[in-house]
């Protein structure tokens, strides 16, 4: 039932998030809970995040009523993620804390909750708490799910850029390079753009950023696409191409305004 998508401001933060582990009923699912989740997933895919958030809240309440740990996890994950997408960071963290406490009480381990740590790291990234991002991402890297681990490494790398921590950035790049089949290659692309910008190789950064914008567009991850547009504009400006940078910023602004209207 879980709709797996990570919206890091990164929205990481971009890309697909996986990981639905541990307890719950393997053969049976409460029909009302299932209907709520299906409705929420449907409107979320259509871009109506506010309506989806309301449906996920109702599903989480139902999950607690029926005392189903897996349902609590899935509805809580989706609710926190939709709140992140709405930039409602305080409520997203509150949801994660509530769900994590409930799962711990019901015997779920930290490893089983790794994707919740990944969402929390994404919220902290959006709030620019770079050190805390790394701490949460390290916990998310304990996941048995390869895509969760890859996303966690990508987030670690993004935080490392902000902290000017070249060694940690290189470690993230090396991990994603070695595990391309498990990771979203576009996350690796983004880290490579940011490394080129750290190295001030502006022409290379412009080319890489332009490709990254196209990749994010193809993934329909428009939050991450706008982040890539900002990188392209910064690289163009640093390369002395102010006119081209202004054009890219107009594209960013147009997309951001349209997103705000949804």
């Amino acid at each position: 039932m879980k709709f797996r998508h990570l919206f890091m401001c990164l929205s990481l933060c971009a890309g697909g998030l996986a990981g639905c582990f541990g307890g719950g009923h393997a053969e049976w699912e409460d029909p009302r809970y299932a209907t709520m989740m299906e409705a929420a997933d449907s409107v979320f895919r259509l871009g109506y995040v506010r309506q989806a958030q309301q449906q996920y809240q109702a599903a989480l309440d139902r999950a607690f009523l029926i005392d189903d740990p897996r349902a609590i996890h899935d509805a809580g994950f989706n609710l926190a993620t939709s709140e992140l997408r709405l930039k409602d960071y305080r409520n997203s963290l509150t949801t994660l804390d509530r769900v994590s406490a409930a799962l711990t009480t019901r015997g779920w381990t930290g490893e089983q909750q790794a994707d919740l740590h990944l969402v929390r790291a994404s919220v902290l990234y959006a709030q620019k708490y770079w050190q805390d991002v790394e701490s949460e991402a390290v916990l998310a890297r304990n996941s048995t799910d390869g895509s969760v681990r890859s996303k966690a490494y990508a987030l670690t790398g993004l935080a490392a850029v902000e902290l000017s921590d070249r060694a940690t950035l290189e470690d993230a790049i090396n991990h994603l390079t070695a595990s391309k089949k498990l990771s979203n290659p576009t996350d690796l692309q983004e880290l490579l753009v940011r490394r080129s910008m750290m190295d001030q190789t502006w022409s290379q950064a412009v080319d890489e950023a332009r490709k990254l914008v196209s990749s994010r567009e193809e993934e329909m991850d428009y939050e991450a696409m706008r982040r890539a547009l900002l990188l392209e504009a910064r690289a163009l400006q640093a390369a002395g191409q102010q006119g081209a940078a202004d054009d890219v910023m107009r594209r960013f602004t147009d997309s951001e305004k349209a997103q705000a209207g949804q």
Side-chain angles (χ1 to χ4, degrees):
M1 290 304 303
K2 179 170 147 191
F3 184 58
R4 302 177 175 111
H5 196 78
L6 180 59
F7 311 95
M8 293 180 299
C9 126
L10 237 215
S11 133
L12 218 138
C13 101
L17 236 200
C20 181
F21 314 103
H25 302 291
E27 302 297 334
W28 177 86
E29 190 168 41
D30 178 74
R32 288 184 60 184
Y33 166 81
T35 298
M36 291 172 179
M37 290 288 280
E38 288 170 2
D41 290 352
S42 295
V43 295
F44 189 95
R45 292 188 183 99
L46 292 172
Y48 300 113
V49 182
R50 179 70 63 187
Q51 292 91 322
Q53 181 265 334
Q54 293 167 354
Q55 290 283 350
Y56 287 134
Q57 180 64 70
L60 180 58
D61 291 342
R62 183 70 180 178
F64 275 105
L65 185 152
I66 63 178
D67 192 30
D68 184 331
R70 182 177 292 278
I72 291 171
H73 171 273
D74 291 0
F77 176 99
N78 289 359
L79 175 59
T81 302
S82 62
E83 289 167 337
L84 169 58
R85 177 65 176 272
L86 292 167
K87 296 181 170 53
D88 188 356
Y89 305 131
R90 178 179 296 182
N91 278 331
S92 184
L93 291 174
T94 297
T95 296
L96 290 167
D97 289 344
R98 180 190 181 199
V99 169
S100 181
L103 293 176
T104 300
T105 297
R106 290 160 175 80
W108 279 41
T109 66
E111 181 180 284
Q112 290 172 301
Q113 300 179 47
D115 56 352
L116 300 180
H117 288 294
L118 188 53
V119 179
R120 186 178 284 106
S122 301
V123 175
L124 295 169
Y125 184 93
Q127 297 178 298
K128 301 182 180 180
Y129 297 139
W130 313 126
Q131 293 284 3
D132 293 332
V133 171
E134 287 195 343
S135 298
E136 288 294 326
V138 166
L139 294 174
R141 278 155 43 177
N142 291 325
S143 173
T144 58
D145 187 286
S147 62
V148 174
R149 290 198 305 273
S150 293
K151 281 292 177 186
Y153 272 98
L155 258 179
T156 301
L158 290 173
V161 170
E162 303 297 342
L163 294 168
S164 300
D165 182 353
R166 184 60 178 258
T168 300
L169 173 61
E170 292 295 341
D171 180 64
I173 288 172
N174 291 337
H175 176 87
L176 294 179
T177 300
S179 60
K180 284 183 178 179
K181 291 182 179 179
L182 294 177
S183 68
N184 181 344
T186 316
D187 292 340
L188 175 59
Q189 274 185 271
E190 181 160 354
L191 294 186
L192 294 174
V193 173
R194 291 176 182 269
R195 183 172 68 179
S196 293
M197 295 178 73
M198 287 181 71
D199 292 341
Q200 299 185 5
T201 53
W202 300 118
S203 179
Q204 180 177 336
V206 168
D207 290 341
E208 290 174 343
R210 190 169 292 131
K211 293 175 183 176
L212 178 62
V213 171
S214 297
S215 296
R216 295 303 194 191
E217 286 177 339
E218 291 172 5
E219 293 174 344
M220 296 186 292
D221 189 342
Y222 301 120
E223 184 81 14
M225 179 200 73
R226 286 189 291 274
R227 189 171 65 256
L229 286 169
L230 288 177
L231 293 176
E232 183 181 356
R234 283 172 51 195
L236 284 165
Q237 186 177 42
Q241 302 180 50
Q242 188 61 54
D246 291 342
D247 289 342
V248 172
M249 283 305 301
R250 278 189 284 271
R251 292 165 56 195
F252 169 85
T253 301
D254 288 343
S255 179
E256 188 174 50
K257 286 181 179 178
Q259 178 65 58
Q262 290 190 2

